């Protein structure tokens, strides 16, 4: 994370994704007027606009973007400018069809959605670097640009590709991780079912197999896919740091376990200048406001306790669930201010103006189809003015009461096939323990397993481990130290069972945690 970024230029943020490319210019003028009425301070711009910025290879159209940014700046509205690399243009895929990802069973996905990207594809990487460079050269010093927004929601809708390019990159990644074939064979337990490899070229992605594929091969491939996407983010980030020095760079996370499980946000949180998150309530019968609080606490923890930003949520209903109820009166404000109370320096939405066409035309927005006469609009305006009164909260810290361990890597391992029961659900354990603490008015700071050693029992007298299926021996030593120094440790079942290679710890359960948990 860069220490030279100018967070002081970023106001307490209120606004949303703005997609002027969907509308004629006369609508832009109305948008800016209404944004000022609503108290909007920041908009995210250009997220899906690559085809508008570069309508043909090497041919750029900046006039419309110059106009929009100028209008916003004149109105005192700052810009979170996106690199549009989540949706390359149709002409790109026509020239480079192998940049489309391949599913595990060998089907190449088609253009016509978003996020259809093979993160190992060299042509995609070159094109993404090119458009990012052009944007930064043109707008890197523009006074309206207070934040750079790389890509969009890495991991959604697809992160993993199983093509031949990925196979070659996977082998290189494995060689770096394991060092030798002997070490790989030992880590993967390839003696089982006769899977021993004698040459790196024999290794492929964990494509569709007759029965369960080697679990450690699958786990390493998830780690690899996450690392490939992160490398692409770093390439764009570094271009922006070089050409737009001092302006923070982020990408919008989806930290909620109810929304994304393919990204190791502990690793990603170290690479952004400002942690931002998208959060949408999931209508699954659970207490959605508790999931909201959990996600906000987890996002703040990914930020290392520093202030962060809610970059997207919904004013009312969404459109991608089986049932999408509208929010009740006051619910939008409650949700927004709950994030602010847990460390967010503002509340932003998807999106500003509700789309009339496309896949998300039924997704709510700040300015709905019904216009300024709607309840949603009146609540948007009211919330904007309430946030103006909270500007002094910028740069403050949220102090938690309890520490909790969460590991995306362990969750990946636990979710593989052939476990003792399909009812073993790390997310259920996480949410159950969090809910019990929430109902006792206790705030939680989360830590990765590698962060246990630094925990001070006086600062965190209680450490909760809701489910940590995969626990290296070092984790057990850190837990023993925490308890020896006076901390209280609460661990749920199916924790400490395997090491980082999904290999069972020797001896009876609970494996590597046996000594710290059993008298």
């Amino acid at each position: 994370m860069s220490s030279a970024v100018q967070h002081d230029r970023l106001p307490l943020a209120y606004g949303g994704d703005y997609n002027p490319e969907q509308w004629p210019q006369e609508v832009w003028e109305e948008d800016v007027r209404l944004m000022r009425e609503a108290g909007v301070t920041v908009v995210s711009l250009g997220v899906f606009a690559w085809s508008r910025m570069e309508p043909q290879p090497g041919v750029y159209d900046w006039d419309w973007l110059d106009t929009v940014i100028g209008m916003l700046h004149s109105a005192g509205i700052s810009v979170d400018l996106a690199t549009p690399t989540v949706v390359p243009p149709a002409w790109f895929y026509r020239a480079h069809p192998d940049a489309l990802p391949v599913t595990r069973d060998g089907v190449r996905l088609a253009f016509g959605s978003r996020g259809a990207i093979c993160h190992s594809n060299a042509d995609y990487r070159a094109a993404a670097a090119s458009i990012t460079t052009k944007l930064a050269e043109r707008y890197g010093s523009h006074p309206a640009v207070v934040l750079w927004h790389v890509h969009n929601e890495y991991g959604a809708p697809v992160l993993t590709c199983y093509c031949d390019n990925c196979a070659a990159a996977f082998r290189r990644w494995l060689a770096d991780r394991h060092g030798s074939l002997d070490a790989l064979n030992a880590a993967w337990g390839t003696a089982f079912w006769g899977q021993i490899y004698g040459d790196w070229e024999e290794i492929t992605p964990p494509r569709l197999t007759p029965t369960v594929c080697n679990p450690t091969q699958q786990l390493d491939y998830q780690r690899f896919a996450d690392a490939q996407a992160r490398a692409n983010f770093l390439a764009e980030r570094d271009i922006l740091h070089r050409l737009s020095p001092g302006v923070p760079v982020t990408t919008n996370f989806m930290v909620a376990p109810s929304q994304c499980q393919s990204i190791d946000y502990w690793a990603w949180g170290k690479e952004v200048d400002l942690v931002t998150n998208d959060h949408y309530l999931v209508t699954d019968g659970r207490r959605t406001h508790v999931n909201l609080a959990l996600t906000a606490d987890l996002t703040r923890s990914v930020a290392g306790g520093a202030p962060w930003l809610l970059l997207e949520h919904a004013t009312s209903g969404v459109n991608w669930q089986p049932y999408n109820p509208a929010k009740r009166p006051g619910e939008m404000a409650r949700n927004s201010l709950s994030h602010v109370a847990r460390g967010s320096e503002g509340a932003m939405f998807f999106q500003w103006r509700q789309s009339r066409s496309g896949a998300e035309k039924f997704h709510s927005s700040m300015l709905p189809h019904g216009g300024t006469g709607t309840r949603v609009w009146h609540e948007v305006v009211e919330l904007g003015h309430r946030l103006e009164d909270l500007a002094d909260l910028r740069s403050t810290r949220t102090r938690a009461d309890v520490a909790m361990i969460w590991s995306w890597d362990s969750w990946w391992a636990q979710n593989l096939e052939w476990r003792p029961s399909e009812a073993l659900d790390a997310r259920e354990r996480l949410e159950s323990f969090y809910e019990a603490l929430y109902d006792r008015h206790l705030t939680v700071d989360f830590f990765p397993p590698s962060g246990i050693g630094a925990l001070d029992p006086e600062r965190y007298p209680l450490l909760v481990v809701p489910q940590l299926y995969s626990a290296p021996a070092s984790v057990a030593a850190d837990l023993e130290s925490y308890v020896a120094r006076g901390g209280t440790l609460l661990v749920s079942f199916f924790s400490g069972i395997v090491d980082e290679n999904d290999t069972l710890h020797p001896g009876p359960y609970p494996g590597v945690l046996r000594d710290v948990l059993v008298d």
Side-chain angles (χ1 to χ4, degrees), residues 276-299:
T276 62
N277 192 55
D278 297 353
H279 183 261
Y280 294 96
L281 300 181
V282 176
T283 309
D284 60 0
R286 309 187 195 204
R287 297 167 69 193
T288 56
H289 63 285
V290 180
N291 175 271
L292 182 155
L294 184 159
T295 302
D297 281 348
L298 186 51
T299 306

Side-chain angles (χ1 to χ4, degrees), residues 279 281 288-297 300 308 310 313 330-344 346-347 383 386-387 390 398 434 438 443:
H279 183 261
L281 300 181
T288 56
H289 63 285
V290 180
N291 175 271
L292 182 155
L294 184 159
T295 302
D297 281 348
R300 184 187 65 251
W308 56 280
L310 175 66
H313 71 313
E331 189 175 356
M332 179 190 70
R334 180 205 67 178
N335 293 354
S336 301
L337 297 175
S338 293
H339 284 96
V340 173
R342 293 176 185 271
S344 176
L383 178 59
R386 291 180 70 180
L387 282 171
L390 299 177
T398 300
Y434 184 90
Y438 178 92
T443 303

Side-chain angles (χ1 to χ4, degrees), residues 258 281-285 317-326 362:
S258 57
L281 300 181
V282 176
T283 309
D284 60 0
V318 296
N319 69 307
W320 40 266
Q321 300 180 72
Y323 302 96
N324 298 282
F362 295 113

